[in-house]
Amino acid sequence: MLFAWAWMPKTNSRKNSDSPNGLSDIDVPELINLVLNKDLQNASGKSNDVWGPLHSWRALGQIGSPDAVEPLLSMFDYLENDDWALEELPIVMGMLGEASLNALSEYLRQATHKEFARAMAADGIKEVAMKHSDSREQSVSILIDYLKEPDSEARLLNAMVVSSLIDLDAKEAIGTIRGIYEAGLADLVHCGDIEDVELELGLRESRSTPRPDLFSPQTEYTPVISHESNKTKIGRNDQCPCGSGKKYKKCCLH
């Protein structure tokens, strides 16, 4: 049972709802208000109130109302350091489907937003494709179009977009991805160098060169590959080597 239920006004609509959580379109405005409520977002971890926004955005995803797209997007910057939001809001956008793609695409391109918030938008585009196969072509096209005119100041974001394309097995994107790497506009730590990308996409069977030293200053700022190291790269979803237990992209890389 969703915690959001406890905050919802008791309406007769629930009794006849076909939604798996008993909620319906009539509940969408109240659920949106709960997601936007920063007092609940900042509530004590010992209080049940803190779970209200999280279960509300889950409910919005299950209902599938397009009215939820813009309000949810408006919280991306605010919640970019929230582990629950980083994991779940892209999934919710995926549940909302094609109706969210245009807004997510615009958000991804806006440099005024924070880098991890924009990465959530890219992840949301990927989730739409994964949950709605008929939207895959459009979703992949949006991600490729972004990489054709990437934010040169957001190398981590660019790598995260590459990561989303890898998750979609978007071999058709390899030409654009190679251009990003040739220009030195992708953070190598996030998903490796271009040979790692080609391996993950099944476009090569083995490396032609040793892996770069991911922690050298040269690796951070230029596309030059060091041939003096054969360190194993940190996987896109591996735990951070600092021992925090978090994924690397959400810990020391942040």
Side-chain angles (χ1 to χ4, degrees), residues 129-194:
M130 295 184 75
K131 289 178 170 55
H132 306 273
S133 58
D134 56 341
S135 295
R136 181 191 180 279
E137 183 177 353
Q138 183 181 359
S139 299
V140 169
S141 178
I142 289 171
L143 296 174
I144 291 175
D145 285 346
Y146 166 78
L147 289 181
K148 287 179 178 178
E149 297 182 28
D151 185 340
S152 61
E153 302 298 321
R155 295 172 67 251
L156 176 57
L157 170 63
N158 299 338
M160 288 179 166
V161 173
V162 171
S163 178
S164 291
L165 287 166
I166 291 172
D167 288 341
L168 292 173
D169 195 31
K171 293 179 176 63
E172 63 267 42
I174 191 59
T176 303
I177 293 173
R178 284 172 178 151
I180 288 290
Y181 276 89
E182 288 169 3
L185 294 179
D187 186 286
L188 300 187
V189 176
H190 185 70
C191 54
D193 65 3
I194 188 59

Side-chain angles (χ1 to χ4, degrees):
M1 181 65 67
L2 296 174
F3 275 89
W5 189 281
W7 283 268
M8 296 298 297
K10 302 299 186 287
T11 64
N12 291 330
S13 67
R14 291 187 193 163
K15 297 179 181 178
N16 301 316
S17 173
D18 293 328
S19 172
N21 54 41
L23 301 174
S24 67
D25 286 341
I26 198 171
D27 298 308
V28 167
E30 186 63 23
L31 288 166
I32 289 173
N33 287 337
L34 290 169
V35 171
L36 300 180
N37 190 320
K38 292 183 179 179
D39 288 335
L40 294 179
Q41 296 283 0
N42 296 320
S44 167
K46 297 180 180 180
S47 168
N48 283 339
D49 288 351
V50 75
W51 297 104
L54 183 150
H55 289 285
S56 295
W57 70 53
R58 289 180 181 178
L60 287 167
Q62 290 178 328
I63 294 170
S65 171
D67 292 340
V69 172
E70 292 293 346
L72 289 173
L73 272 175
S74 74
M75 294 298 291
F76 274 28
D77 276 323
Y78 184 76
L79 295 172
E80 67 138 9
N81 289 316
D82 185 292
D83 283 347
W84 284 106
L86 285 167
E87 290 287 346
E88 294 201 1
L89 284 178
I91 294 173
V92 171
M93 287 297 183
M95 295 168 73
L96 295 176
E98 187 176 349
S100 67
L101 283 178
N102 287 339
L104 288 167
S105 175
E106 182 178 353
Y107 195 100
L108 172 61
R109 290 182 173 279
Q110 291 178 350
T112 53
H113 295 301
K114 297 177 181 178
E115 194 165 11
F116 267 71
R118 296 167 73 190
M120 276 198 282
D123 211 17
I125 293 166
K126 177 198 74 177
E127 289 292 337
V128 172
M130 295 184 75
K131 289 178 170 55
H132 306 273
S133 58
D134 56 341
S135 295
R136 181 191 180 279
E137 183 177 353
Q138 183 181 359
S139 299
V140 169
S141 178
I142 289 171
L143 296 174
I144 291 175
D145 285 346
Y146 166 78
L147 289 181
K148 287 179 178 178
E149 297 182 28
D151 185 340
S152 61
E153 302 298 321
R155 295 172 67 251
L156 176 57
L157 170 63
N158 299 338
M160 288 179 166
V161 173
V162 171
S163 178
S164 291
L165 287 166
I166 291 172
D167 288 341
L168 292 173
D169 195 31
K171 293 179 176 63
E172 63 267 42
I174 191 59
T176 303
I177 293 173
R178 284 172 178 151
I180 288 290
Y181 276 89
E182 288 169 3
L185 294 179
D187 186 286
L188 300 187
V189 176
H190 185 70
C191 54
D193 65 3
I194 188 59
E195 291 189 21
D196 286 315
V197 173
E198 291 170 348
L199 282 167
E200 293 209 50
L201 287 174
L203 297 175
R204 65 162 58 229
E205 294 183 356
S206 61
R207 293 189 61 89
S208 300
T209 64
R211 283 196 174 92
D213 182 349
L214 300 177
F215 299 100
S216 72
Q218 190 178 48
T219 299
E220 183 176 356
Y221 295 108
T222 76
V224 177
I225 295 177
S226 167
H227 295 281
E228 298 177 358
S229 173
N230 194 30
K231 291 184 179 179
T232 302
K233 77 182 182 76
I234 301 173
R236 290 175 289 124
N237 292 307
D238 288 349
Q239 288 191 345
C240 184
C242 77
S244 67
K246 294 183 178 181
K247 292 180 181 179
Y248 182 71
K249 65 184 180 182
K250 297 178 184 175
C251 191
C252 293
L253 188 58
H254 200 302

